Amino acid sequence: MPQYRDPIECAPLGELRALQSYRLIKTVRHVYENVPFYRDRFDKLGLKPEDIRSVDDLSKLPFTYKQDLRDNYPYGLFAVPQDQVVRIHASSGTTGKQTVVGYTQNDLDVWAEITARALVAAGGSKNDFVHISYGYGLFTGGLGLHQGATALGASVIPVSTGNTKRQIQIMQDFGSDILCCTPSYALYMGETVREMGIDPKTLKLRAGVFGAEPWTEHMRQEIERMLAIKAYDIYGLSEIMGPGVSYECPEQSGMHINEDHFIAEIIDPDTGEVLPEGVMGELVFTCITKEALPLIRYRTRDIAMLTRKPCSCGRTFIKMTKPAGRTDDMLIIRGVNVFPSQVESVLLQFSGTTPNYQLIVDRVGALDTLEVQVEMDEHMTFDAVRLIEKREKEIRGALESTLGIAAVVHLVSPKTIARSEGKAKRVIDKRCLE
Ligand code: DLL
């Protein structure tokens, strides 16, 4: 079985940079000539397409923000006429107006190739049944992986989300080999497998390609244990392409970015300054092969780190860490900045808890309150109330010293927190409802 899909994944750095430079120059010309928004931005900066001669000139280019897509809703940033656009998708749009993205046939072909790379990195081949439980529709998850699995020549089972017991039945009867869905839905499927009295080892399933939301190593271990599979991460965002911008290999220590199609940078989110490898900051992507919607230096708001440390898989594509959250995930509680990922990292230090948790933020009078609900595992539920209270107190102490604010902690019974078939909802901010 091949270790990778395309030799470019293992290309020497010099070759890759030359290709990136060539494609960047072409893209810059394309947007200058075809997108009035970019022409204006460049003109205001006194920048001409000829000023961009290689990837080293990248930082001369202006950033693109989600707001720019919103201001030009729905198609204002498209760089090709409508008759060349063969597909429309849209972002989940949890905050503000959703953003609309478009693809030419060539864009769809590239997208299929890069998701096929992710499936190959997870051990997939044309001999597999690929069970897709990401949502189909405007969300890029379902169709994105669908096209990749088709390009691979695998047998696609396009189940989409919902009816979890039926999903498990299909998995059993159809012999699904690889599962694609969000990690929180994978966990829910694991619970359902157990509820149905099925031994996961009797399923043919051997790998999963999970993404679209942040998930921890702890969650990976839980999914791997509950479904008896190897769980791989996949990252992407609709504005840049959809799933497959980066993907995990068997080393499972970060995701390789498809650098022949996207140039990644890490910047300081406050100053915009480009940061060196190995430093955490905001991920910024430049599309270098996209035709319909080529975004330049797009601010993802995802917080991650890049590394070019050699990988045991042989791929030379730069790796990004699992995103540690988003700059816009940050909650301000009693004047203190709190990231849900910080809460999660505290919860992980304690046994007896599961990766199912929720933060409830409210305001009582003038005071913000934070309640952390986390489900206990089955062993813990058998413990005496006194022991549960003791554990809650310990978590409360750890949260207070990490976050710098007090929180109410409730260990709740298994299955108390609503399950998600798509992206999990970790924060309920009741202050926004006022
Ligand atoms: O979530 C695309 C996707 C579908 C990726 C299926 C992977 C699998 P959007 O709905 O536009 O697109 O949301 C993009 O989701 O900026 C991240 O904040 C988050 N995200 C995506 N993948 C990961 C991941 C899809 N593996 C936003 N880890 C991104 C952490 C992720 N966060």
Side-chain angles (χ1 to χ4, degrees):
M1 203 189 296
Q3 303 290 298
Y4 54 86
R5 179 158 172 89
D6 191 316
I8 192 73
E9 293 172 79
C10 307
L13 188 56
E15 189 182 312
L16 202 55
R17 286 179 70 84
L19 181 69
Q20 285 185 326
S21 293
Y22 171 75
R23 290 180 167 177
L24 175 67
I25 292 167
K26 224 171 122 185
T27 301
V28 166
R29 208 176 309 129
H30 177 47
V31 299
Y32 189 78
E33 283 164 10
N34 297 299
V35 187
F37 162 84
Y38 277 120
R39 179 185 286 261
D40 280 359
R41 281 262 160 112
F42 284 26
D43 287 350
K44 281 200 185 102
L45 290 170
L47 192 68
K48 291 272 166 249
E50 308 80 84
D51 296 332
I52 306 300
R53 284 187 223 104
S54 79
V55 279
D56 295 330
D57 295 322
L58 193 63
S59 60
K60 292 182 184 161
L61 292 162
F63 291 121
T64 311
Y65 299 85
K66 197 175 184 87
Q67 190 58 40
D68 296 325
L69 284 154
R70 291 201 175 121
D71 292 346
N72 291 281
Y73 178 84
Y75 305 134
L77 296 190
F78 283 19
V80 296
Q82 181 272 326
D83 64 355
Q84 290 178 39
V85 176
V86 299
R87 176 83 65 74
I88 297 292
H89 279 283
S91 77
S92 358
T94 41
T95 52
K97 213 192 262 180
Q98 61 182 358
T99 44
V100 178
V101 297
Y103 305 79
T104 63
Q105 185 54 54
N106 190 59
D107 293 338
L108 288 188
D109 294 345
V110 168
W111 187 14
E113 272 307 305
I114 62 175
T115 45
R117 287 179 192 174
L119 288 164
V120 169
S125 78
K126 63 179 179 83
N127 301 317
D128 289 318
F129 286 94
V130 179
H131 182 122
I132 300 178
S133 308
Y134 285 112
Y136 280 65
L138 287 178
F139 176 55
T140 52
L143 280 162
L145 267 304
H146 182 111
Q147 293 155 177
T150 305
L152 188 60
S155 311
V156 181
I157 313 178
V159 200
S160 195
T161 54
N163 203 338
T164 310
K165 285 200 171 128
R166 183 172 155 264
Q167 299 254 4
I168 309 296
Q169 193 68 55
I170 288 173
M171 223 177 253
Q172 259 188 329
D173 296 350
F174 297 9
S176 312
D177 296 289
I178 297 180
L179 172 65
C180 303
C181 63
T182 59
S184 44
Y185 195 36
L187 201 61
Y188 183 25
M189 285 208 207
E191 288 172 352
T192 311
V193 164
R194 195 168 47 192
E195 255 176 46
M196 290 167 77
I198 299 168
D199 175 358
K201 293 199 188 78
T202 60
L203 296 173
K204 212 172 139 228
L205 202 68
R206 64 166 204 281
V209 178
F210 305 128
E213 62 180 3
W215 53 309
T216 55
E217 281 305 320
H218 177 60
M219 200 151 155
R220 189 204 306 270
Q221 285 158 20
E222 282 296 289
I223 295 170
E224 291 191 337
R225 185 178 63 79
M226 293 177 84
L227 285 171
I229 59 171
K230 220 165 138 68
Y232 295 86
D233 203 349
I234 181 167
Y235 167 89
L237 60 166
S238 346
E239 294 89 331
I240 295 301
M241 187 62 108
V245 171
S246 66
Y247 58 103
E248 211 169 45
C249 66
E251 200 183 85
Q252 293 187 311
S253 64
M255 291 172 274
H256 290 282
I257 295 170
N258 276 301
E259 286 189 281
D260 51 338
H261 299 290
F262 317 105
I263 305 180
E265 299 170 279
I266 291 286
I267 63 156
D268 177 326
D270 298 324
T271 64
E273 179 203 349
V274 178
L275 300 174
E277 256 178 58
V279 179
M280 277 283 193
E282 181 180 346
L283 259 173
V284 170
F285 287 107
T286 299
C287 305
I288 50 171
T289 53
K290 273 282 263 325
E291 294 176 340
L293 184 63
L295 296 184
I296 304 288
R297 301 191 83 202
Y298 183 69
R299 303 274 302 248
T300 64
R301 306 194 222 183
D302 290 320
I303 305 292
M305 196 168 85
L306 296 176
T307 172
R308 219 177 262 288
K309 227 172 82 200
C311 185
S312 61
C313 76
R315 287 178 185 78
T316 49
F317 281 168
I318 203 163
K319 283 204 284 199
M320 58 179 265
T321 53
K322 273 177 173 297
R326 296 174 52 83
T327 53
D328 50 0
D329 264 354
M330 191 181 76
L331 295 160
I332 302 181
I333 303 173
R334 272 170 262 149
V336 177
N337 299 347
V338 175
F339 283 96
S341 55
Q342 285 176 298
V343 173
E344 183 162 344
S345 63
V346 169
L347 297 177
L348 289 179
Q349 297 161 16
F350 295 91
S351 62
T353 62
T354 69
N356 296 305
Y357 71 95
Q358 204 157 44
L359 275 59
I360 299 153
V361 188
D362 206 350
R363 184 168 289 145
V364 179
L367 195 68
D368 295 333
T369 58
L370 170 63
E371 178 186 344
V372 177
Q373 293 186 350
V374 55
E375 285 184 11
M376 299 177 263
D377 65 17
E378 284 148 356
H379 308 296
M380 189 87 183
T381 49
F382 292 120
D383 279 341
V385 173
R386 197 168 39 83
L387 291 175
I388 295 174
E389 281 172 358
K390 182 168 165 273
R391 178 55 50 85
E392 286 174 342
K393 203 169 150 207
E394 288 164 355
I395 297 176
R396 195 157 55 232
L399 280 174
E400 189 157 352
S401 65
T402 305
L403 307 178
I405 55 161
V408 175
V409 175
H410 282 133
L411 284 177
V412 296
S413 308
K415 293 284 189 135
T416 318
I417 295 171
R419 297 291 186 268
S420 160
E421 293 165 358
K423 302 187 190 223
K425 188 161 172 49
R426 299 291 190 197
V427 179
I428 300 176
D429 195 341
K430 295 186 173 165
R431 297 174 302 181
C432 306
L433 305 175
E434 285 166 4

